[in-house]
Amino acid sequence: MINQYKFEDEPELRDLFITVDDPESHITAIETFITYRVVTKTSRGEFDSSEYEVRRRYQDFLWLKSRLEEAHPTLIIPPLPEKFIMKGMVERFSDEFIETRRKALHKFLNRIAEHPTLTFNEDFKIFLTAQTWELSSHKKQGPGLFSRMGQTVRAVASSVRGGGVKNRPDMFTDINDYMETFNQKINLLDKISQRIYKEERGYYCEMKEYGPIHTLWCASEEDLVDSLKGVASCIDKCCKATENRMAGLSENLLPVLHEYVLYSEILTGVLKRRDQIQAELDSKVDALSNKKAEKDLLTEEIGNLEDKVECANNALKADWDRWKQNMQHDMKTAFLNVAENNIHYYEQCLATWESFLTSQTVDLHLGEDSEDKP
């Protein structure tokens, strides 16, 4: 059994460790897809073994996410990478695409593992432990919670879209307002960062062509051979520095911003589902005042709905605080990484050109001194 490990910033011991790695391509007559190895190590008593190794494809991750949403409609379920993430920026099934997705899937499972409620979900356990045929069999079982929702809730849900909830607590009104602003800003940041990346790629491609021109130029300018070769070398070094900066953007900033674009959509959905429960409670309270004959039945339903609303509120409050803390940490880390990469990039390029210019100045002075000698 693996030892439990306590992080400095975590009050509880971790007892579940998950790694997503080893992507593998599969080509059939019908489709081409990638599977990933999911390795789980745990010391929990509800697991039959301390270590599991299974292979999962993207569709299996989608199934897990939908099951978690069905079982916990008022919790913030981590987002999955979109099926064609960064479309137009990397090719599907390229090494860069596969690695970007692998990291996102790894983060997805570990966010679930670190969540105090989601980590004990039975479907999550099955996802981590079941062999492929066992998982396929389990996926064919009956519909989830959302499919079993009553018509009343669905009718109320449609009415909620048309107007506000009468008795929504102020806290959730504030969260709704916060998310509207957050959604606008994070989407704008996402678009700007992708545009910066594309412009950087265009600059990089042009610079790759610019360097060899100076090398070819040497053949027709004998007196400038050393200088032209020096310029070509500087351009080559700056080109490599630009490539490293692009890698930093694609690894550290773009995925984080896009993840929180998806989070904003998820949170909007969670808030709507909380409002649906609140709206159903409000409708029953209104019905109670108009239907005396069904008073006992409605009173019981109202009591159950009050409990349901309270559970939803408490679950979302805890998840909101946790999500906001994680979001602020992730954003701070991402932008600090970008700032550090930019500083390193400009220092590297500046040092490259300063070194070259210094060498040219020294050569010029030496040439002048030699001409002054009798």
Side-chain angles (χ1 to χ4, degrees):
M1 303 296 284
I2 62 171
N3 294 325
Q4 291 182 323
Y5 184 81
K6 184 176 184 301
F7 290 97
E8 292 181 358
D9 297 332
E10 294 183 357
E12 298 179 356
L13 294 172
R14 283 191 60 188
D15 53 9
L16 185 63
F17 299 84
I18 305 170
T19 303
V20 178
D21 60 13
D22 189 26
E24 185 177 297
S25 298
H26 300 263
I27 302 175
T28 68
I30 302 175
E31 60 179 340
T32 300
F33 60 93
I34 308 292
T35 63
Y36 301 84
R37 181 175 65 175
V38 178
V39 178
T40 303
K41 297 182 179 181
T42 182
S43 58
R44 292 183 184 176
E46 63 266 27
F47 286 83
D48 297 330
S49 177
S50 61
E51 186 169 345
Y52 297 87
E53 180 178 318
V54 296
R55 295 204 71 86
R56 297 288 182 256
R57 58 184 296 183
Y58 182 75
Q59 290 181 356
D60 299 326
F61 287 86
L62 282 177
W63 169 83
L64 174 61
K65 182 175 183 292
S66 67
R67 295 291 288 182
L68 291 174
E69 289 173 340
E70 291 170 355
H72 308 283
T74 54
L75 290 181
I76 303 171
I77 310 301
L80 276 172
E82 293 168 313
K83 193 160 188 177
F84 299 104
I85 189 171
M86 297 170 66
K87 187 175 182 181
M89 300 173 68
V90 294
E91 295 181 3
R92 188 186 180 200
F93 299 135
S94 68
D95 291 342
E96 185 181 355
F97 175 88
I98 293 171
E99 178 60 15
T100 298
R101 172 166 287 183
R102 184 202 65 78
K103 289 180 178 178
L105 296 177
H106 176 87
K107 181 184 285 188
F108 170 74
L109 292 183
N110 279 276
R111 285 196 187 279
I112 296 171
E114 293 165 5
H115 193 283
T117 301
L118 300 178
T119 188
F120 296 107
N121 178 274
E122 184 63 22
D123 288 308
F124 181 48
K125 177 185 173 184
I126 291 171
F127 177 90
L128 297 177
T129 61
Q131 294 303 310
T132 302
W133 66 270
E134 294 176 307
L135 182 63
S136 298
S137 176
H138 184 76
K139 289 164 71 172
K140 293 177 182 177
Q141 294 179 8
L145 175 62
F146 280 176
S147 301
R148 301 193 304 266
M149 286 175 63
Q151 294 299 321
T152 304
V153 175
R154 297 190 181 186
V156 172
S158 61
S159 67
V160 169
R161 297 189 190 98
V165 180
K166 289 189 298 183
N167 297 315
R168 177 196 288 159
D170 292 339
M171 174 185 177
F172 296 105
T173 299
D174 293 340
I175 293 176
N176 268 283
D177 294 340
Y178 179 95
M179 287 310 303
E180 286 183 8
T181 303
F182 178 83
N183 183 58
Q184 294 174 357
K185 291 183 177 179
I186 198 67
N187 273 280
L188 184 59
L189 282 171
D190 183 53
K191 290 178 181 178
I192 292 173
S193 64
Q194 291 193 39
R195 188 171 70 236
I196 290 173
Y197 181 85
K198 290 178 181 178
E199 291 175 353
E200 193 79 3
R201 179 181 285 276
Y203 172 68
Y204 167 76
C205 292
E206 291 181 358
M207 190 158 50
K208 281 187 70 176
E209 297 177 358
Y210 191 54
I213 293 175
H214 289 78
T215 303
L216 295 173
W217 194 1
C218 295
S220 58
E221 295 286 351
E222 295 182 2
D223 295 338
L224 298 176
V225 170
D226 291 339
S227 296
L228 291 173
K229 285 185 176 179
V231 171
S233 176
C234 289
I235 293 174
D236 183 58
K237 291 177 181 177
C238 290
C239 197
K240 291 178 181 177
T242 302
E243 187 176 17
N244 291 334
R245 184 165 72 153
M246 286 168 53
L249 285 172
S250 64
E251 293 174 8
N252 299 322
L253 182 64
L254 295 180
V256 173
L257 290 177
H258 200 72
E259 179 186 18
Y260 280 95
V261 168
L262 300 177
Y263 256 129
S264 68
E265 297 171 1
I266 290 169
L267 267 157
T268 300
V270 170
L271 289 166
K272 284 182 179 179
R273 290 195 287 273
R274 194 222 70 87
D275 283 352
Q276 288 167 11
I277 300 171
Q278 180 83 57
E280 187 181 11
L281 173 60
D282 293 344
S283 69
K284 295 296 182 182
V285 171
D286 291 341
L288 180 62
S289 62
N290 298 325
K291 298 182 180 179
K292 297 181 180 179
E294 300 176 7
K295 183 175 181 180
D296 293 339
L297 178 60
L298 287 172
T299 301
E300 182 179 354
E301 290 180 357
I302 287 172
N304 292 333
L305 283 169
E306 286 175 342
D307 292 340
K308 193 174 181 180
V309 168
E310 185 176 0
C311 290
N313 289 348
N314 292 335
L316 185 49
K317 283 178 185 177
D319 251 20
W320 170 254
D321 293 337
R322 187 183 302 107
W323 176 84
K324 200 170 181 181
Q325 184 177 3
N326 288 338
M327 180 270 292
Q328 291 171 346
H329 173 268
D330 290 346
M331 288 294 173
K332 181 179 179 181
T333 302
F335 283 111
L336 282 175
N337 285 335
V338 171
E340 290 174 1
N341 286 339
N342 284 343
I343 291 172
H344 178 71
Y345 167 78
Y346 288 114
E347 286 178 344
Q348 190 175 355
C349 291
L350 181 62
T352 296
W353 287 107
E354 283 182 341
S355 176
F356 169 72
L357 292 174
T358 301
S359 68
Q360 295 301 301
T361 303
V362 171
D363 290 343
L364 181 62
H365 287 320
L366 289 175
E368 291 176 350
D369 293 341
S370 63
E371 292 177 358
D372 292 340
K373 290 182 180 180

